[in-house]
Amino acid sequence: MLDGPLIAEWLPVSVAALVLLLVAAGVAGWVDAVVGGGGLIQLPALVIAVPSDVATPFILGTNKLSSFFGTLSASWVYLRKIRVQLVLLAPLVAGAYAGSTVGAALSRYVPRDVLTPIVLVAVIAVALYTLFKPTMGLHHEPRHDRATAVAWRAALIGLLVGFYDGILGPGTGSFFVILIVGVLGYGFLQASVNAKIANLTTNLAALVVYGVHGEVLLALGLAMAVMNITGGFIGARMATKRGSGFVRIVFLVTLSILIVKLAWDTVVQFTGS
């Protein structure tokens, strides 16, 4: 834990740690609003700042609480600027909620050291694919006209990414974006608004699981949520003004950070250091 007196038993961090967490939540909200992946910033900050005697589910639950409200604010901004299609959004959200619920329930039993290397390979593949296809996602060109073709693909994307979010989590928004762009042919900006709402759903599903078990630091989570909301609002406005090219750049930067984090986690797991 960072140096400094405890603020109170209901807010179990020092003043310095609280400042760190509030700043991290604001930056995470901005990143999450633009392209997803704010958990890459917020979750490590919680791990560093919260005392080591606090159980991991409380850290995960607090992260979900803050992220939920930040994603909610970003979704509201996007929905005011960009139209969504229910034929995509409804099955995407339904699949995301189901997948996240199952993933969060199983997260207590599935060893993360098995998942991390697999996700690392997937993220590297996604980054290279995006990098070497510079025009991908810059134009909104849906590939499927039939509602059923869009619906089942969207449901499958929601189920897979939702499950990943519930069981592991980092980069969930980015996975939603790249699959909607790559599979359905959406532009990065249009994919982001759907990804935000789907990510909002997965956060809610996981939050319900943690909340039922009382595994949320409520006061800390709400304090961070205020900053996450602010960052999300600013990020969503910037994304809608600057378009898909801007979102693509932030997407690649976020994937780079995710690759570094997952690579480090993998090295630590296999070396035991």
Side-chain angles (χ1 to χ4, degrees):
M1 185 181 69
L2 300 180
D3 294 334
L6 288 178
I7 296 174
E9 291 184 2
W10 50 270
L11 192 60
V13 293
S14 67
V15 174
L18 180 60
V19 172
L20 167 67
L21 290 173
L22 293 180
V23 172
V27 176
W30 186 91
V31 172
D32 221 28
V34 177
V35 75
L40 299 173
I41 299 168
Q42 185 169 267
L43 188 56
L46 278 163
V47 172
I48 293 170
V50 174
S52 58
D53 59 347
V54 175
T56 298
F58 283 87
I59 294 176
L60 297 176
T62 303
N63 177 61
K64 289 298 181 186
L65 177 62
S66 175
S67 297
F68 172 79
F69 284 105
T71 306
L72 181 63
S73 71
S75 298
W76 180 74
V77 174
Y78 274 114
L79 288 173
R80 291 184 62 195
K81 302 284 186 179
I82 302 172
R83 294 181 61 184
V84 296
Q85 296 177 309
L86 288 180
V87 67
L88 164 68
L89 188 60
L92 181 70
V93 166
Y97 191 93
S100 184
T101 299
V102 174
L106 293 179
S107 65
R108 303 162 180 272
Y109 310 107
V110 179
R112 299 194 174 205
D113 55 357
V114 174
L115 295 174
T116 302
I118 297 174
V119 176
L120 173 60
V121 173
V123 174
I124 292 175
V126 167
L128 291 175
Y129 183 72
T130 306
L131 186 63
F132 290 109
K133 292 182 71 71
T135 61
M136 185 186 70
L138 295 183
H139 303 286
H140 183 56
E141 300 172 343
R143 293 187 183 137
H144 306 283
D145 295 326
R146 294 178 57 191
T148 52
V150 174
W152 77 259
R153 285 173 171 82
L156 184 59
I157 291 171
L159 189 66
L160 292 175
V161 182
F163 178 79
Y164 167 75
D165 188 40
I167 203 166
L168 191 62
T172 294
S174 298
F175 282 122
F176 271 126
V177 168
I178 194 59
L179 285 175
I180 294 172
V181 170
V183 175
L184 299 175
Y186 277 45
F188 272 107
L189 186 59
Q190 289 77 14
S192 287
V193 61
N194 289 282
K196 285 294 141 303
I197 299 172
N199 204 175
L200 179 68
T201 304
T202 62
N203 284 337
L204 176 61
L207 185 58
V208 168
V209 174
Y210 291 120
V212 165
H213 293 87
E215 295 168 333
V216 179
L217 300 173
L218 186 60
L220 179 59
L222 291 176
M224 293 175 66
V226 173
M227 293 300 294
N228 207 297
I229 289 170
T230 304
F233 181 80
I234 295 171
R237 287 181 64 88
M238 289 181 67
T240 54
K241 285 183 178 180
R242 300 193 179 189
S244 290
F246 170 72
V247 176
R248 181 181 185 274
I249 292 172
V250 178
F251 178 76
L252 286 170
V253 172
T254 303
L255 284 186
S256 299
I257 297 172
L258 179 57
I259 288 170
V260 171
K261 180 187 183 302
L262 291 173
W264 174 258
D265 290 345
T266 301
V267 169
V268 170
Q269 287 170 9
F270 282 101
T271 61
S273 59

